[in-house]
Amino acid sequence: MEIQSPLGMQDILPEDVQLWKKVESAMHRICALYRYSEIRTPLFEFTSLFTRSVGEVTDIVEKEMYTFTSNTDSTPISLRPEFTAGIVRAYLQHSMHKQKAFQKFYAFGPLFRRERPQKGRYRQFHQFDIEALGSYSPYLDAETILLASDFLNELGLKEYKISINSIGCPACRAEYREVLKKALAPRISELCQNCQARYERNVFRIMDCKSEKCRSIASKLPTIQGYLCDNCKNHFDKVVSILKVTELEDRVNPFYAGQTTQVSEAKSVPNPLLVRGFDYYTKTTFEFTYPSALGSQDAILGGGRYDNLIEDLGGPKSGAVGFAAGIERIILALKDTKSQMSIKKLPKNIPIFVASVTEQEQERNQEQDAVLRDAVFKIATQLRRDGRPADMDFEARSLKAQMKVANKLNYKYVIKIGSDELARYGMTVKNMNTGKEEFYSDKYINEYLNGLDVRDATVSDKVRAGEFLDLHNKAIFLHKEGKEKEAAGLLDDAAKISEELNIEDIFPLSSFYGFKGTVDRNRGDFKNAEVDLLKSVKKDKDYALGWFVLCTVQMKLGKEDEAIRSFMKAYEITGDAWSDWALRDGNKKYFSQEFLERLKSEIETPKGA
Ligand code: HAM
């Protein structure tokens, strides 16, 4: 008997498991920042769930599902080919929509599709999936796209391309369907067998057929942009404009931002309609590709809005957005790019709810409202990028109503943004327990919030912060006795604590990394010394000693130009004290006479000469 896995199923071997774990940890971190909660649904669902949601006339349902009936029950069940349907089913089955109208979920796990296996396409594969249920807001579409890009950025995967499109709602699609049918009617016989059947049953799917001939025909068809109803068009324009606020638009091919209507004008990506193979989508659809590392299967992640699915499955009328990322493809991209994946610290302790100071309905000024909501979205994004969990209200409610939401979700602090705050370049922080409000300028807000983290730290965090100080102090004694190797060991342990906890407020990390770099240097580990000292001066660019020690290390590494630059930074901060330092006995050994001459002439040459 041949020993082989069935159906080309993949093993994940130990050397790869480490990589998988890093991807999973990035996923958990990003979801914490965006306030998503993990959900785990079963591998099997009733087949009818997928027929009703994914759609009867789709490749997945028609050809790709593994469907069974059990011995005792004749109702067919299928191995899940995707997460969305199962998550919506769970949301409704457990009446979660009755507890809170708006909820965010994420899931991770295996899925099954009977596709022809090739690089990046497997019959058992894994996804990281997110679903935000219960809102029609275009801010949610933009937030979802942002979450996807933050996730890939965190993994060090920077070369993705985003395509975004709107496929309208059933109302605008009805007209467009007729337009497509009319345009295709004279060419039906030229289409592949599959598409000939699709012509009657699901004409949109012809747009993403893989056959050369169908693609060439599809590329000359009118796109849906010209047929979007006002509501869909406004929604799409708003999503694109919000993405601009967050500076993501550079990545979005202008075609897909709806600026042109002819498919043939799209040069870089062949599938501008993003029909996306599922019937549940409405309005926004998007796909991230990674062409530099993946072959023909270069879609690394895809998703969109589905405003009718919850209702179609028996729930209330409510909007939703989600996406799923293919983990196998991410692993392939990571291996290809050998990206420098740096999983950042765990999220900071205190989550923040950001609210706009919006008047009650009758007194609203819509323009002002829009400015404030854009500002709120931007601040929530910035907080997350700074490692702090943050959320906002998507429903354009009054301040009072937003505060109610924040209270219900147990936020201890709310940042309030009104026109006054915008004019003063700052924000008001409200302590929800005491009711006290304080204004902070943009410049100091992070410092203030970090301080809250320390005060609010759990007892175990405080004990660990104490350990950090203890390790640091012991290292000073060892360093003074010349025991640099032992000191370095303690400082490595302290650095690990500083990466997990926010201790900046009890100890300046510029000085910590300056000391660590000095110890590394003294024991001859110049490479690590440089890394630490660069961290030190990055944390405080006015830390003269850090720059000076960095200069000595760069000399040792043969980076004379960089050494001069570092020295000049120290000199700019301390002025003439430079010669004192450079010539101090202990430091002389780092500089040749020639280098000192060069420094001298650098200092004596007036700037700009
Ligand atoms: P999808 O585009 O079918 O969307 O899949 C999302 C991602 O899963 C793809 O971009 C790809 O990276 C990966 N993927 C799909 N099929 C395979 C396969 N056979 N082998 C390896 N990787 C694969 C969905 O599944 C939607 N449920 C996404 C969504 C969530 N839309 C709204 N919410």
Side-chain angles (χ1 to χ4, degrees):
M1 188 185 97
E2 205 179 344
I3 300 291
Q4 206 166 25
S5 66
L7 311 172
M9 300 275 171
Q10 300 283 302
D11 296 304
I12 305 166
L13 300 177
E15 62 262 31
D16 280 355
V17 169
Q18 291 312 319
L19 215 46
W20 278 70
K21 283 190 170 165
K22 285 190 176 163
V23 174
E24 287 166 40
S25 100
M27 168 187 83
H28 292 302
R29 188 184 119 88
I30 292 289
C31 286
L33 291 177
Y34 281 80
R35 313 286 287 156
Y36 276 75
S37 308
E38 189 173 0
I39 185 165
R40 300 181 183 192
T41 56
L43 293 185
F44 286 109
E45 297 282 353
F46 285 119
T47 306
S48 56
L49 177 72
F50 299 117
T51 322
R52 284 168 69 186
S53 53
V54 173
E56 208 155 348
V57 192
T58 55
D59 285 351
I60 292 181
V61 168
E62 281 186 330
K63 300 185 237 161
E64 296 170 3
M65 287 203 302
Y66 290 96
T67 298
F68 313 83
T69 46
S70 75
N71 297 344
T72 48
D73 188 349
S74 60
T75 315
I77 50 175
S78 297
L79 278 172
R80 62 186 183 194
E82 60 117 44
F83 273 115
T84 315
I87 292 177
V88 174
R89 195 258 318 129
Y91 170 75
L92 296 175
Q93 179 177 334
H94 303 287
S95 297
M96 294 163 94
H97 58 293
K98 291 186 187 151
Q99 294 150 23
K100 269 186 278 162
F102 178 65
Q103 298 195 40
K104 291 169 160 180
F105 302 102
Y106 75 102
F108 174 85
L111 304 130
F112 305 86
R113 294 185 193 172
R114 190 187 288 116
E115 296 194 89
R116 195 168 47 78
Q118 64 182 93
K119 179 183 166 195
R121 193 163 77 186
Y122 312 103
R123 291 181 167 180
Q124 173 176 329
F125 62 100
H126 296 71
Q127 284 182 347
F128 154 40
D129 179 279
I130 70 157
E131 311 292 349
L133 308 178
S135 173
Y136 294 101
S137 168
Y139 285 95
L140 187 61
D141 309 40
E143 187 190 278
T144 309
I145 294 171
L146 219 55
L147 187 160
S149 78
D150 281 358
F151 170 63
L152 296 178
N153 290 341
E154 174 127 349
L155 291 174
L157 293 175
K158 304 270 158 94
E159 288 167 36
Y160 53 87
K161 293 202 162 52
I162 308 175
S163 314
I164 144 171
N165 192 21
S166 175
I167 60 160
C169 61
C172 28
R173 270 211 300 275
E175 185 188 351
Y176 180 56
R177 182 179 294 114
E178 293 316 309
V179 171
L180 276 188
K181 280 188 145 178
K182 211 162 156 197
L184 281 165
R187 311 195 64 175
I188 295 182
S189 59
E190 297 170 55
L191 297 171
C192 73
Q193 288 281 302
N194 254 341
C195 284
Q196 292 195 12
R198 285 169 172 158
Y199 179 82
E200 281 307 332
R201 291 163 28 109
N202 192 345
V203 67
F204 303 115
R205 298 302 318 280
I206 297 176
M207 307 302 289
D208 73 351
C209 176
K210 300 282 179 293
S211 106
E212 270 308 310
K213 185 73 194 170
C214 297
R215 270 163 75 153
S216 130
I217 294 174
S219 72
K220 295 184 188 79
L221 294 171
T223 69
I224 197 168
Q225 254 79 27
Y227 302 90
L228 291 180
C229 64
D230 283 352
N231 181 3
C232 289
K233 188 173 175 340
N234 291 341
H235 183 94
F236 188 65
D237 290 348
K238 184 67 195 172
V239 174
V240 173
S241 95
I242 303 166
L243 288 177
K244 283 200 173 120
V245 174
T246 56
E247 292 144 22
L248 244 198
E249 88 274 24
D250 289 354
R251 300 240 181 204
V252 180
N253 178 326
F255 172 83
Y256 304 118
Q259 319 241 319
T260 143
T261 52
Q262 272 309 109
V263 180
S264 53
E265 287 179 48
K267 297 196 179 65
S268 53
V269 187
N271 182 7
L273 265 189
L274 287 179
V275 185
R276 293 226 3 89
F278 300 83
D279 280 357
Y280 51 60
Y281 288 122
T282 55
K283 295 187 175 164
T284 316
T285 52
F286 56 89
E287 211 159 71
F288 285 42
T289 51
Y290 214 83
S292 63
L294 303 170
S296 62
Q297 303 300 320
D298 69 351
I300 203 157
L301 167 171
R305 177 166 276 287
Y306 47 98
D307 285 345
N308 299 325
L309 181 61
I310 298 176
E311 193 184 10
D312 287 348
L313 293 181
K317 234 178 152 21
S318 46
V321 191
F323 76 73
I327 306 299
E328 281 78 1
R329 292 185 195 177
I330 284 176
I331 299 286
L332 283 172
L334 283 173
K335 284 183 173 170
D336 183 84
T337 51
K338 299 201 177 52
S339 81
Q340 282 298 313
M341 186 179 354
S342 66
I343 303 306
K344 302 204 192 88
K345 296 186 237 181
L346 293 172
K348 295 175 179 173
N349 291 335
I350 299 189
I352 297 288
F353 190 87
V354 193
S356 56
V357 183
T358 311
E359 302 298 336
Q360 299 289 354
E361 207 61 60
Q362 51 279 31
E363 293 152 43
R364 289 250 182 117
N365 167 345
Q366 284 206 339
E367 224 168 276
Q368 178 66 6
D369 251 25
V371 172
L372 289 182
R373 282 164 55 72
D374 279 1
V376 161
F377 185 80
K378 200 171 172 181
I379 288 164
T381 305
Q382 279 166 349
L383 288 170
R384 289 163 182 153
R385 289 188 171 160
D386 189 53
R388 180 169 305 282
D391 213 349
M392 60 182 270
D393 173 47
F394 289 96
E395 304 312 319
R397 281 181 272 229
S398 67
L399 176 64
K400 206 168 148 200
Q402 293 175 67
M403 286 308 202
K404 248 185 165 166
V405 172
N407 213 0
K408 195 166 171 206
L409 298 174
N410 288 327
Y411 280 90
K412 287 192 197 155
Y413 293 89
V414 173
I415 284 182
K416 288 165 62 177
I417 305 294
S419 34
D420 193 38
E421 278 79 4
L422 288 188
R424 291 170 66 199
Y425 296 100
M427 36 195 110
T428 299
V429 184
K430 177 170 180 151
N431 179 326
M432 299 291 276
N433 288 338
T434 61
K436 196 169 148 202
E437 296 194 355
E438 278 178 284
F439 177 86
Y440 292 91
S441 74
D442 290 344
K443 212 170 149 197
Y444 295 111
I445 189 73
N446 272 338
E447 241 169 68
Y448 171 71
L449 296 177
N450 291 346
L452 289 182
D453 280 336
V454 174
R455 258 185 277 154
D456 200 69
T458 59
V459 172
S460 78
D461 279 358
K462 283 180 181 153
V463 170
R464 299 217 62 208
E467 275 170 29
F468 169 87
L469 291 176
D470 201 33
L471 289 165
H472 178 264
N473 291 342
K474 282 183 184 146
I476 291 180
F477 282 108
L478 291 168
H479 166 68
K480 291 223 154 119
E481 287 170 7
K483 295 181 177 160
E484 304 290 23
K485 190 165 168 245
E486 290 84 345
L490 298 187
L491 290 172
D492 279 341
D493 290 344
K496 273 187 209 128
I497 298 179
S498 84
E499 275 159 25
E500 284 163 28
L501 293 184
N502 171 34
I503 55 163
E504 191 79 61
D505 233 53
I506 52 167
F507 198 89
L509 287 179
S510 53
S511 144
F512 171 73
Y513 280 109
F515 175 44
K516 191 166 180 304
T518 308
V519 169
D520 287 340
R521 180 195 68 179
N522 293 355
R523 59 195 283 257
D525 185 353
F526 300 111
K527 270 202 173 141
N528 272 324
E530 190 185 31
V531 173
D532 283 334
L533 290 157
L534 283 170
K535 268 191 208 163
S536 161
V537 294
K538 193 170 168 211
K539 294 209 173 277
D540 179 2
K541 62 180 181 344
D542 293 330
Y543 188 48
L545 187 59
W547 285 112
F548 181 73
V549 182
L550 179 60
C551 161
T552 63
V553 167
Q554 286 166 330
M555 275 306 291
K556 279 286 180 190
L557 289 169
K559 299 178 173 177
E560 196 163 305
D561 289 345
E562 276 107 320
I564 295 267
R565 218 176 312 132
S566 300
F567 192 92
M568 290 311 289
K569 292 268 192 194
Y571 179 67
E572 276 162 27
I573 301 160
T574 59
D576 278 342
W578 76 276
S579 47
D580 208 34
W581 260 347
L583 299 175
R584 206 182 274 175
D585 277 350
N587 288 326
K588 265 193 214 156
K589 61 176 178 242
Y590 293 103
F591 306 117
S592 63
Q593 198 51 39
E594 215 183 327
F595 182 73
L596 286 175
E597 290 303 321
R598 212 183 137 186
L599 278 181
K600 215 167 177 179
S601 84
E602 194 82 27
I603 286 163
E604 281 162 9
T605 315
K607 266 214 170 119

